[in-house]
Amino acid sequence: MAELNILSPVSGSVLPLDQVKDDVFAQKLMGDGFGVEPTNGKIVAPVSGKVTLIAETKHAIGFKTDDGAEVLMHMGIDTVELKGAPFTISVTTNDTVSAGQTIATMDLNAIKSAGKEATVMLVITNSNDVLSSINVHTGKITAGEQAATAEVKSTESAVSGASKVDISKDSKYDKLAREIIKNVGGKDNTNSLIHCITRLRFYLKDEKTANDDAIKNLDGVIDVRHAQGQYQVVIGPEVTDVYDAAIKQLGSQFADDDATAQAVAETKAAAGPDNRSLWEKTKDGFSALIGVITGSMMPVVGLLAASGILKGLLQMAVDFHWTEVTSQTYILISAMGDSAFYFLPVVVGFTAAQRLKADPVIMGIIGGVLVYPSLIGIATGKVVTGHLLGMVLNTNLFGIPIHMVNYTYSIFPIIAGAWMAHYIERWLKSWIPKILQMIFVPLFEVMIVSAVILVVIGPIITLISTGISWLLNAILTANYPIAGLIIGGFYQCLVIFGLHWAIVPLIANDIASKGYSYLNAIVSMTMVAQGAAVTAIFFKSKLNNIKGLAGAAAISAFCGITEPSIYGINLRYGRSFIMASIGAAAGGLVTGLLHVNMYGFTGALIGFPSFFTPAKFGGGMGNEINFWIASIVTIVVAFVLTWMFGFKDSDVEAAKNVTKRKTLGKD
């Protein structure tokens, strides 16, 4: 343990860091330290050590002490906008300075005339790694006098000069950033880091130190380039996530926002006009949409699979009369299995916002608005105030009649909301003063996005769903085998966008009024087909992560929950979803030819008791046998097609290479 004496870099009044008027510093996001309200502009070195950073706009200087403490001195608040005019720096990067040595001046009058705060903030950016404690001496002080005493632990770099962190809490971006930093030579070999639309761009002291091969082989890296005096690591669309993680580890003194903005603008301009055909644009747009949907769902796929298995086991317990749906045990376990699906808009709102660069917490709250009990009560109630284009108007907003939808189990409206929120946030922040943004950005964002979903997106989805349900019902009435073929082949496409919920009332109405549902029998085969496809992938793949996901998704699908199969595997790799849909079409055709009927609501393999014919309909085992024949046909066709044509392990790497081809053409 060593003691580090930190001097005040300027004469004035020392104040605790949490009292400075900059949220980032006040919340100690940059590290622990203190602030000084200056009375003159003479700046001295707060510690002895090496100068590691001088910002291009001269408002910030970084130091590294012999004890390993990384000290950042930030002169003024938002003074980066002044482009260096008020500052004169008398040292250069890599200079060795002594504590108390005069190193700069700042023009306080110029800063105040520009409407900026002149507060000097000093923080130890690797506080979590090197500090045991820090004691700040508040009050009036002269430049060069002791302002704080810190207890510094003995440290060693975790990765060639990068700070130690708790890697057990790392995201995939943190881990990738850490490996890249290590292999470019760590902090000690890094001058600064910017990014463009697809690449991290390092300014290194010695590019020969970087290990090209190691970086190229990292999962998440597409390629490495040496160009424009930069060491460029090609990441692709997720470059900003990796960049943020890298700067978090390196320290903000390594960032250059102006250079980054210029690089982004230049690479966009260099891309030139978009000469793709309408078909190519449509195809790429659809691929991007599917990417957003699957990317938003991937963090919760495992949870959905587990919940689906639990729901299947609970249904089995009911079918075998081990419990009743009215029992307290059923209610409690049902809540455990159903919660992930019921509150899906909340969870997906958070994950979609992370992917689409909106505020995850705000989108989680908007998801909560969609599943708010009072709104669900309106959507599922019987109050009717009017009709519009076949929709029931069941409530009003500011006196305007609207159609309220039940958003539980839905994902597409909240993903659309996250996309809107990204642009609305930027617009709000462009005109709301920074000091008011913490309150008014969430206020307006929640109101605007929630209102658009409730008033526009929900009713549009209802109109589309109503049309689809009418069409499916017409096909089913016309010819059962043809209906089985068509509905079986396309039903899971509706699941992707949440449009399948329009079919549920048809099924529920059939079972309530007639006691059976031919439509539900077809739907059941589509679940079996998705499960069969991921089962084939489970047995074929040699990748542990794919096998683990496919196995859990298969069990869930056979229990009637196909979301993990679709979003986790089949839709991500495309062909397997198509093969599963062909298998479902074959199973649906056989279901129609054998006139398989369904006398319960629960489908897939777990729902086999729903296919026993009740005594009032004649009884017997014929329908149950036909159900198993159709299921076996579905499983065989989906399994074999997926095994032969739907998936191979190289598809996982191919997905990465597609991104590589696209991104290398942009920069």
Side-chain angles (χ1 to χ4, degrees):
M1 191 80 66
E3 186 175 88
L4 174 65
N5 294 322
I6 306 174
L7 309 185
S8 175
V10 66
S11 296
S13 296
V14 177
L15 65 157
L17 193 60
D18 59 8
Q19 292 182 17
V20 304
K21 298 177 182 179
D22 185 297
D23 290 339
V24 173
F25 285 95
Q27 296 176 39
K28 301 185 180 180
L29 299 178
M30 298 291 296
D32 208 346
F34 57 87
V36 185
E37 292 293 352
T39 55
N40 69 51
K42 177 185 174 183
I43 305 296
V44 303
V47 294
S48 297
K50 185 169 72 171
V51 177
T52 57
L53 163 79
I54 297 177
E56 185 176 346
T57 49
K58 304 178 183 178
H59 69 290
I61 303 176
F63 311 87
K64 185 172 183 179
T65 71
D66 293 338
D67 298 317
E70 295 167 5
V71 180
L72 174 68
M73 181 177 65
H74 193 286
M75 296 178 284
I77 297 175
D78 293 334
T79 47
V80 65
E81 299 172 8
L82 304 183
K83 308 297 184 183
F87 308 106
T88 300
I89 311 295
S90 57
V91 293
T92 59
T93 304
N94 293 323
D95 281 355
T96 299
V97 296
S98 299
Q101 174 185 335
T102 300
I103 60 173
T105 60
M106 58 188 293
D107 187 338
L108 300 185
N109 291 329
I111 293 172
K112 291 175 181 178
S113 296
K116 307 298 182 183
E117 298 285 343
T119 310
V120 176
M121 291 154 291
L122 189 138
V123 295
I124 299 176
T125 57
N126 58 343
S127 297
N128 292 337
D129 304 319
V130 303
L131 282 193
S132 293
S133 64
I134 182 170
N135 181 29
V136 177
H137 314 308
T138 58
K140 293 187 181 299
I141 199 167
T142 300
E145 292 183 348
Q146 187 172 331
T149 304
E151 295 292 337
V152 181
K153 297 179 286 188
S154 176
T155 61
E156 294 179 0
S157 295
V159 282
S160 301
S163 302
K164 288 183 178 180
V165 295
D166 180 4
I167 62 173
S168 65
K169 298 180 180 179
D170 277 356
S171 70
K172 68 176 182 179
Y173 303 120
D174 293 321
K175 294 175 182 176
L176 177 57
R178 176 162 291 102
E179 288 300 312
I180 292 173
I181 293 170
K182 179 178 73 174
N183 285 291
V184 298
K187 283 186 178 181
D188 291 340
N189 192 42
T190 303
N191 284 323
S192 64
L193 171 63
I194 64 173
H195 74 85
C196 54
I197 58 177
T198 61
R199 307 180 184 193
L200 296 178
R201 298 186 174 203
F202 286 88
Y203 287 93
L204 300 179
K205 297 173 183 176
D206 181 7
E207 287 191 21
K208 294 180 181 178
T209 301
N211 188 337
D212 290 8
D213 291 336
I215 295 174
K216 286 180 181 179
N217 289 325
L218 293 175
D219 186 16
V221 171
I222 297 172
D223 201 4
V224 167
R225 295 290 179 90
H226 298 259
Q228 304 173 31
Q230 302 164 342
Y231 187 84
Q232 301 180 358
V233 183
V234 186
I235 302 296
E238 296 180 316
V239 66
T240 53
D241 296 300
V242 182
Y243 172 80
D244 291 342
I247 291 299
K248 181 173 67 176
Q249 295 170 34
L250 288 168
S252 63
Q253 66 270 29
F254 286 85
D256 189 333
D257 294 340
D258 291 338
T260 291
Q262 182 179 350
V264 170
E266 288 175 351
T267 50
K268 285 183 177 179
D274 189 349
N275 296 319
R276 292 174 300 165
S277 66
L278 178 60
W279 167 248
E280 289 174 327
K281 291 179 181 179
T282 302
K283 182 176 67 174
D284 290 347
F286 184 74
S287 296
L289 174 62
I290 295 301
V292 169
I293 293 175
T294 56
S296 301
M297 291 297 293
M298 276 306 297
V300 296
V301 163
L303 177 61
L304 295 182
S307 299
I309 293 169
L310 182 57
K311 286 166 65 72
L313 294 174
L314 185 60
Q315 184 61 46
M316 180 184 295
V318 172
D319 292 340
F320 286 97
H321 305 291
W322 297 334
T323 187
E324 300 290 334
V325 294
T326 55
S327 72
Q328 295 298 306
T329 298
Y330 178 91
I331 293 172
L332 290 172
I333 297 178
S334 180
M336 298 174 194
D338 215 32
S339 177
F341 295 95
Y342 190 90
F343 295 105
L344 203 54
V346 178
V347 181
V348 174
F350 189 92
T351 59
Q354 288 180 314
R355 185 172 183 86
L356 294 168
K357 302 299 182 291
D359 189 307
V361 174
I362 293 177
M363 284 311 304
I365 295 299
I366 293 172
V369 171
L370 301 186
V371 296
Y372 193 71
S374 298
L375 298 190
I376 295 174
I378 293 173
T380 57
K382 297 182 180 180
V383 176
V384 178
T385 61
H387 294 81
L388 177 66
L389 299 175
M391 294 186 299
V392 173
L393 302 177
N394 49 12
T395 188
N396 71 84
L397 183 65
F398 297 117
I400 302 173
I402 63 172
H403 172 71
M404 180 61 66
V405 178
N406 182 0
Y407 292 95
T408 58
Y409 287 71
S410 69
I411 65 164
F412 192 71
I414 196 67
I415 291 177
W419 175 81
M420 286 189 295
H422 168 73
Y423 296 98
I424 290 172
E425 279 180 27
R426 290 169 56 184
W427 173 67
L428 291 172
K429 289 178 179 179
S430 70
W431 61 269
I432 297 177
K434 188 172 182 179
I435 195 171
L436 300 176
Q437 288 180 5
M438 182 181 294
I439 296 174
F440 288 99
V441 169
L443 171 64
F444 290 125
E445 188 173 340
V446 169
M447 291 181 64
I448 295 171
V449 177
S450 297
V452 172
I453 293 175
L454 296 174
V455 177
V456 180
I457 296 177
I460 288 176
I461 290 177
T462 297
L463 282 174
I464 296 173
S465 300
T466 300
I468 291 173
S469 63
W470 177 87
L471 178 62
L472 294 185
N473 196 45
I475 295 173
L476 186 63
T477 302
N479 187 292
Y480 189 15
I482 297 300
L485 180 70
I486 296 174
I487 297 174
F490 290 99
Y491 180 80
Q492 291 297 328
C493 295
L494 304 181
V495 175
I496 297 172
F497 299 103
L499 298 173
H500 65 299
W501 289 109
I503 314 302
V504 174
L506 294 179
I507 294 172
N509 182 68
D510 282 346
I511 293 175
S513 60
K514 304 175 185 177
Y516 56 83
S517 171
Y518 287 105
L519 178 58
N520 206 22
I522 300 171
V523 171
S524 181
M525 291 304 136
T526 70
M527 300 173 182
V528 173
Q530 291 293 328
V534 288
T535 299
I537 293 171
F538 171 79
F539 285 109
K540 184 176 184 179
S541 178
K542 292 181 173 61
L543 301 175
N544 289 334
N545 60 327
I546 297 295
K547 288 181 74 71
L549 185 56
I555 297 173
S556 179
F558 290 141
C559 289
I561 305 297
T562 57
E563 283 84 352
S565 298
I566 294 174
Y567 301 119
I569 298 286
N570 292 339
L571 195 58
R572 292 182 72 195
Y573 300 108
R575 294 196 313 278
S576 56
F577 182 81
I578 295 173
M579 297 305 110
S581 297
I582 294 174
L589 176 62
V590 174
T591 297
L593 291 172
L594 297 179
H595 285 83
V596 178
N597 208 344
M598 191 168 173
Y599 302 94
F601 199 81
T602 304
L605 298 186
I606 196 74
F608 72 92
S610 298
F611 293 87
F612 285 110
T613 305
K616 66 178 180 179
F617 293 108
M621 289 293 294
N623 191 70
E624 179 72 17
I625 293 172
N626 289 339
F627 157 73
W628 283 109
I629 292 173
S631 296
I632 291 171
V633 170
T634 303
I635 291 171
V636 170
V637 174
F639 186 99
V640 171
L641 288 179
T642 303
W643 183 281
M644 294 178 64
F645 309 111
F647 179 87
K648 52 184 180 294
D649 283 340
S650 59
D651 290 342
V652 179
E653 183 64 25
K656 179 178 176 180
N657 289 334
V658 168
T659 306
K660 176 177 180 177
R661 289 195 299 271
K662 290 180 179 179
T663 51
L664 288 180
K666 292 179 180 178
D667 282 3

